[in-house]
């Protein structure tokens, strides 16, 4: 396999591999086993939605609103609109755009999370995500706006916004332009929310802490090995002082 192609399976991504994916020219492929999990997870979501139509059982963020609107049941004909609405409403970041390298890391680690097969994302949505990454069609993601603890909702919403053809994107071939123009230049199609976004897809795209993960991984890979040694020394010192190991990583204890 091409050395520039990284196979993701949702389980084996390391900080070093993620850092490698920040470089232009690297591409992503999903393992066959991961695709099976993704498809099974999507089937489970579709089944749950179908059953909820009969039983009236509410599924948060899928057949209901979000946050304070969670008690509100969403009509079947509006379920697609619900998913695009969470993308549009949360794409509210401010400040300078993330660098292309950091945007690539953000996208890569989110793709890896989706490849775990736990989110229920539609396979077609994930394929469009991977295609955009592989063609270096990078959504413009403002660097400020995340609330951190409960997820990098705003940055991930800006990524999803580009995938649905809204907002701006950047590629080496086009520079910064409207998302649809960038995607079309690379012979890619934007996701049509009425056709392509199924129940839970919007939530699956935006709900995660992948910007924090990306920046932490970048810092880990750019710092001196001495920084890692400091962590090992701290863990050893903590162990000798308290005789407790529960809060020490097993590799450092």
């Amino acid at each position: 396999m091409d050395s520039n192609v990284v196979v993701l399976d949702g389980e084996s991504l390391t900080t070093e591999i993620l850092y490698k994916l920040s470089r232009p020219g690297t591409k992503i492929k999903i393992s066959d086993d991961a695709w099976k999990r993704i498809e099974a997870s999507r089937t489970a979501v579709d089944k749950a939605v179908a059953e909820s139509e009969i039983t009236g059982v509410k599924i948060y963020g899928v057949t209901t609103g979000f946050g304070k609107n969670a008690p509100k049941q969403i009509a079947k004909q509006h379920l697609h609109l619900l998913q695009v609405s969470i993308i549009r409403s949360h794409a509210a970041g401010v400040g300078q755009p993330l660098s292309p390298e950091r945007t690539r890391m953000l996208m890569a680690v989110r793709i890896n999370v989706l490849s775990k097969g736990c989110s229920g994302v539609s396979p077609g949505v994930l394929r469009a995500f991977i295609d955009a990454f592989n063609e270096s069609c990078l959504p413009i993601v403002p660097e400020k706006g995340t609330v951190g603890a409960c997820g990098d909702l705003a940055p991930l919403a800006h990524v999803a916004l580009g995938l649905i053809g809204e907002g701006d994107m950047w590629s080496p071939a086009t520079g910064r332009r409207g998302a649809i123009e960038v995607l079309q230049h690379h012979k890619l199609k934007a996701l049509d929310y009425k056709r392509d976004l199924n129940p839970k897809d919007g939530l699956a795209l935006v709900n995660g802490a992948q910007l924090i993960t990306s920046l932490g991984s970048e810092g880990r890979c750019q710092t001196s090995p001495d920084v890692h040694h400091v962590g090992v020394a701290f863990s050893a010192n903590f162990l000798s002082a308290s005789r407790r190991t529960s809060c020490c990583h097993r590799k450092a204890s």
Side-chain angles (χ1 to χ4, degrees):
M1 180 179 293
D2 189 335
S3 60
N4 286 325
V5 176
V6 173
V7 178
L8 297 181
D9 58 9
E11 303 295 336
S12 57
L13 181 63
T14 65
T15 55
E16 290 77 14
I17 295 174
L18 179 59
Y19 190 58
K20 173 183 177 181
L21 286 168
S22 71
R23 300 199 300 265
T26 52
K27 297 188 177 184
I28 287 172
K29 180 180 179 181
I30 302 298
S31 71
D32 292 341
D33 287 342
W35 278 121
K36 292 176 182 177
R37 295 196 301 269
I38 293 162
E39 291 165 357
S41 180
R42 182 65 234 176
T43 298
V45 172
D46 291 338
K47 181 180 179 181
V49 172
E51 291 176 349
S52 73
E53 295 175 10
I54 300 172
T55 63
V57 173
K58 296 178 180 179
I59 307 173
Y60 176 77
V62 180
T63 65
T64 75
F66 303 98
K68 292 183 178 180
N69 291 319
K72 296 183 178 180
Q73 188 83 21
I74 307 299
K76 179 181 179 181
Q77 64 269 29
H78 294 147
L79 294 183
H80 294 275
L81 183 59
L82 175 68
Q83 296 306 309
V84 75
S85 293
I86 192 174
I87 294 172
R88 290 169 174 165
S89 65
H90 284 66
V94 296
Q96 294 298 312
L98 293 177
S99 67
E101 293 78 15
R102 289 180 170 179
T103 303
R104 287 177 62 86
M105 292 178 72
L106 171 62
M107 295 174 71
V109 73
R110 189 61 197 163
I111 290 170
N112 183 66
V113 168
L114 294 175
S115 71
K116 286 180 175 290
C118 299
S119 68
V121 70
S122 297
V125 170
L126 183 53
R127 288 190 182 95
F129 200 160
I130 295 167
D131 288 344
F133 178 91
N134 287 344
E135 291 295 325
S136 289
C137 297
L138 309 180
I140 298 299
V141 181
E143 64 182 1
K144 298 179 181 179
T146 180
V147 293
C150 65
D152 296 321
L153 302 176
L156 287 169
H158 280 282
V159 171
L161 196 69
L163 298 180
I164 63 173
E166 300 181 16
D168 287 351
M169 278 183 144
W170 177 93
S171 83
T174 65
R176 180 172 179 171
R177 297 185 186 179
I180 287 183
E181 186 176 357
V182 173
L183 291 169
Q184 287 179 341
H185 180 87
H186 292 271
K187 296 181 172 55
L188 300 177
K189 292 184 178 180
L191 293 169
D192 183 327
Y193 79 86
K194 294 180 180 179
R195 181 190 65 229
D196 302 319
L197 286 188
N198 295 303
K200 202 177 185 297
D201 278 335
L203 187 60
L205 288 171
V206 308
N207 193 21
Q210 280 65 61
L211 178 59
I212 294 171
T213 304
S214 298
L215 297 181
S217 298
E218 179 188 60
R220 168 68 175 78
C221 292
Q222 289 183 346
T223 54
S224 164
D226 291 341
V227 175
H228 175 65
H229 296 156
V230 168
V232 174
F234 168 80
S235 297
N237 185 61
F238 188 91
L239 173 62
S240 64
S242 66
R243 303 182 65 81
R244 294 174 59 189
T245 62
S246 60
C247 64
C248 297
H249 191 286
R250 61 183 177 82
K251 290 184 178 180
S253 60

